Structure formats: structure tokens, C-alpha cells
Amino acid sequence: MKLNLKKDLTLIRAAAASKVDAEAEATQGLYVTLGAGQAMTYIEKERQAQMVTEDPNINPALVPTVAIDAERYGDSLLDAAAVFLTMAQYWRVIGPVIEDRRMSAKDRIAAATTPAEIEAASIVDWSIVP
């Protein structure tokens, strides 16, 4: 995405920062379903998965999101919990990489002094290989 704003560095910086934020969000979408409600669901899945690992014989009614997936895929509660916990750990690796690249780009954008420098600062390598 090429920025086409002319002289106002404040506007150019704001547009570049918005571009970086949008790209970071798109990159996150490669790894998780986006949205505040979905984020809350992921947190609840991890919480329930922890409950299952603490008590593999837990009543499935107490861990409905784990139980639903276990039933859907024909897994045990413990196996379904392991998937949720593995994905949560994977996000703990990927999430900070995305956030670091996003904030580093915004720092470079803030420090840039010309439109060309701002545009160059907004270019981020979003490829992630943890």
C-alpha cells in the first residue's frame, strides 16, 4: 500500500501507523480468529483446558468448550485440552513477535523526518517463522 499524502508529516505518520496496525491485525488473523468475542472464547478455552489437566475426570459440564470439541472430534477431554493449551502456547510465541514488529515500525515512523522515510518505516516483514 503506497501512501499518497503530500506535505503534512502528522497526517503521513498517522496514515503510516494505521497501515501498520491494519497489517498487524491481518497477520494475527493468519493465526487466530479475530474479534473481541473470539479473544474471550480463546481465554475461556485455555482456562477450561487447565481445569481438565488438573482433573482429567472432571465433569464435562464444568468445561463445556473443551467437551464440545472433544465430542466433535472424537477425542478425550484431555486430548482436546492439550490442543487448546498447545495453541495458547503457540500464540504466546507468535503474538509478541507481531506486537514487536508493529510497535517497532511505529517507533520508526515517529522518528522519520520526511515522507519517504515515513513510508519506508511503515514497511514491515510480517513473515513469521517461530
Side-chain angles (χ1 to χ4, degrees):
M1 168 183 167
K2 186 145 176 86
L3 301 175
N4 290 320
L5 303 174
K6 295 292 179 209
K7 300 281 185 188
D8 188 337
L9 293 184
T10 301
L11 290 176
I12 296 170
R13 279 192 185 96
S18 291
K19 171 189 163 290
V20 168
D21 287 342
E23 290 173 355
E25 182 86 2
T27 302
Q28 290 171 349
L30 298 173
Y31 301 94
V32 295
T33 304
L34 301 175
Q38 191 60 47
M40 291 169 47
T41 298
Y42 287 140
I43 290 166
E44 182 60 14
K45 284 181 175 185
E46 183 180 11
R47 186 186 74 77
Q48 290 181 23
Q50 285 291 348
M51 291 170 63
V52 171
T53 61
E54 291 165 8
D55 179 6
N57 297 312
I58 193 168
N59 180 339
L62 297 174
V63 289
T65 59
V66 177
I68 289 167
D69 262 36
E71 184 176 327
R72 176 175 288 118
Y73 298 110
D75 291 335
S76 69
L77 283 179
L78 200 53
D79 287 342
V83 170
F84 290 161
L85 294 174
T86 299
M87 293 308 294
Q89 184 55 40
Y90 185 61
W91 180 251
R92 284 187 181 85
V93 173
I94 292 294
V97 172
I98 296 169
E99 183 64 2
D100 178 55
R101 291 180 188 184
R102 182 180 82 87
M103 295 306 296
S104 293
K106 291 175 88 167
D107 290 344
R108 291 190 308 272
I109 289 165
T113 59
T114 68
E117 287 176 4
I118 293 169
E119 186 160 342
S122 74
I123 298 169
V124 178
D125 177 8
W126 294 108
S127 61
I128 296 176
V129 184

